[in-house]
Amino acid sequence: MNQSNQIKGLAIIAIVLHNFIRPIIGCQCNEMSWVEINATNFLIGIKSWISPLYIIGFLGWYGVPLFILVSGYGLSIKYDKKIEFNAGRKFLFKQWKKLVILMMPTLLVFAFIVSVIYRRYYPAELLWQIPTMTANMLSFRVLPGPYWFFGMIFQKYAIFLIISKLKIGTIRLLLIFAGIFIVFDYFVLYGVAPDTMVWIRHNSIGWIPVFLLGMLAARIDITVPKPIAFIGLALFSVMSVVKWFHPLNGLLLVVCVVTLCKAFESKSLVLMGLLSAYLFVLHGLTREIFYLSCWNWNLFVLITVYFAVTLTASYGYMRLDKFITRKNN
């Protein structure tokens, strides 16, 4: 459990900082599609005095595959061989309810802020598409982080049920399916229009290999020797700017991170992992508030204060959520 929370803690720090820093420094990443100029600009940016910010801005989105890995691992540990497919509707409803309760209060406040302050309006149909987890499938529109991610992760729960029904949980079959979808990722990278690739990456089909790797991690040890993990992280840094390696880079990263989180325990990362869901849904709100008032601050002071405020607000949201849950029970 501590290892999973460490991975989630590392992932949420990367995502929160990535989403905050990227617009400030004008760094574009290759999370949803590959754009060569983004990699070129990143190589130029890391030569500047704010090079750490360019690294976070360009690479921080890799927290997403770390979350997906933990999702596949957690589902397998908790439900493998314990859930029948005919109980799937109850299982899916339970997962949907958890996501909606966590997401909707912050979504409504976020929509209010961007409409009143920025006069930026989302289509009315998103009001039902986002809470029903269908916005990813029905729209090519790029949604704010938590709202596309929750829809995608809900699809992963359905995929897990299908895998359980087809009884393809053996190591060999999981590896075969992962291999098939790695080939599919290469087809997507080189064979489809950028808009189509963005749609695929907003949905579960774009992240299946790392999800299956998480399921494999529940069955076998996917760690490598620590020196190999450090070498792997160095390779990851180089591979991140080479298009050919793009579908493999997330897989390399998660293996290295799993290895190092198993070898080195950090209580701070564990605590971040426990708060990760609340940080995830709240950081967009605090980000918009800071964007309004703090542009003239020193960059590093701004980022530090932003993260501290977001962390404090997330802790308060967690306590409130747990208090309401206890009252209802």
Side-chain angles (χ1 to χ4, degrees):
M1 181 61 73
N2 276 357
Q3 186 186 3
S4 294
N5 281 321
Q6 280 192 104
I7 295 171
K8 288 195 290 185
L10 184 62
I12 196 59
I13 291 172
I15 289 170
V16 169
L17 294 180
H18 159 79
N19 286 336
F20 184 69
I21 290 168
R22 189 173 55 80
I24 293 176
I25 63 175
C27 176
Q28 299 297 321
C29 65
N30 287 328
E31 177 181 6
M32 294 300 170
S33 63
W34 179 271
V35 181
E36 193 68 43
I37 192 64
N38 292 346
T40 302
N41 289 339
F42 167 65
L43 293 175
I44 296 170
I46 59 174
K47 298 174 184 177
S48 70
W49 68 277
I50 55 171
S51 57
L53 303 187
Y54 271 93
I55 292 171
I56 296 170
F58 189 75
L59 297 178
W61 70 267
Y62 278 100
V64 170
L66 290 175
F67 270 126
I68 295 171
L69 173 95
V70 172
S71 175
Y73 175 84
L75 285 171
S76 291
I77 290 292
K78 189 171 182 180
Y79 293 109
D80 230 12
K81 300 178 182 178
K82 298 176 185 177
I83 183 169
E84 295 294 331
F85 188 76
N86 55 15
R89 283 183 296 179
K90 184 182 294 186
F91 168 78
L92 288 177
F93 178 75
K94 179 182 177 183
Q95 304 304 324
W96 171 82
K97 183 179 176 182
K98 282 167 44 179
L99 293 175
V100 168
I101 290 173
L102 184 63
M103 173 179 63
M104 286 308 295
T106 59
L107 172 59
L108 294 174
V109 177
F110 180 86
F112 175 79
I113 288 175
V114 298
S115 62
V116 171
I117 296 175
Y118 298 111
R119 298 293 189 269
R120 192 169 76 233
Y121 303 98
Y122 291 105
E125 58 266 24
L126 288 180
L127 292 176
W128 64 265
Q129 288 177 358
I130 290 178
T132 57
M133 309 296 171
T134 57
N136 304 48
M137 298 180 285
L138 299 178
S139 174
F140 275 68
R141 177 178 292 273
V142 177
L143 301 168
Y147 314 126
W148 74 261
F149 182 86
F150 277 20
M152 182 272 296
I153 212 69
F154 184 73
Q155 295 169 19
K156 286 285 188 288
Y157 298 144
I159 289 172
F160 178 78
L161 278 178
I162 293 170
I163 290 174
S164 300
K165 173 66 174 177
L166 297 178
K167 302 189 184 305
I168 57 173
T170 65
I171 293 170
R172 181 180 299 177
L173 285 172
L174 285 173
L175 286 170
I176 291 171
F177 271 77
I180 290 171
F181 278 96
I182 289 172
V183 173
F184 173 76
D185 283 350
Y186 273 102
F187 168 75
V188 169
L189 182 64
Y190 283 97
V192 305
D195 283 351
T196 304
M197 184 177 179
V198 170
W199 182 85
I200 289 169
R201 298 282 277 184
H202 268 96
N203 286 277
S204 61
I205 193 171
W207 304 94
I208 286 179
V210 72
F211 181 71
L212 295 176
L213 188 63
M215 293 185 65
L216 274 171
R219 295 163 172 78
I220 61 174
D221 184 3
I222 65 166
T223 59
V224 296
K226 289 194 291 293
I228 300 297
F230 284 113
I231 293 170
L233 288 178
L235 285 174
F236 161 78
S237 303
V238 174
M239 290 163 59
S240 63
V241 294
V242 181
K243 182 177 181 180
W244 193 89
F245 292 116
H246 191 60
L248 300 176
N249 221 23
L251 296 171
L252 173 63
L253 176 68
V254 296
V255 171
C256 295
V257 168
V258 167
T259 297
L260 296 176
C261 283
K262 185 177 287 188
F264 305 103
E265 183 170 333
S266 166
K267 292 182 179 179
S268 297
L269 284 181
V270 171
L271 291 173
M272 289 292 178
L274 293 171
L275 274 174
S276 59
Y278 303 94
L279 277 164
F280 191 60
V281 296
L282 265 181
H283 79 277
L285 299 181
T286 53
R287 182 174 71 231
E288 295 299 333
I289 294 168
F290 270 79
Y291 283 169
L292 281 173
S293 55
C294 305
W295 282 100
N296 58 341
W297 291 22
N298 173 277
L299 272 179
F300 292 97
V301 172
L302 172 62
I303 293 163
T304 302
V305 175
Y306 161 73
F307 191 82
V309 169
T310 303
L311 186 63
T312 303
S314 300
Y315 178 75
Y317 190 26
M318 181 189 72
R319 294 295 300 267
L320 176 64
D321 179 51
K322 292 188 180 301
F323 173 77
I324 293 171
T325 302
R326 284 197 304 269
K327 285 289 186 181
N328 291 336
N329 291 337

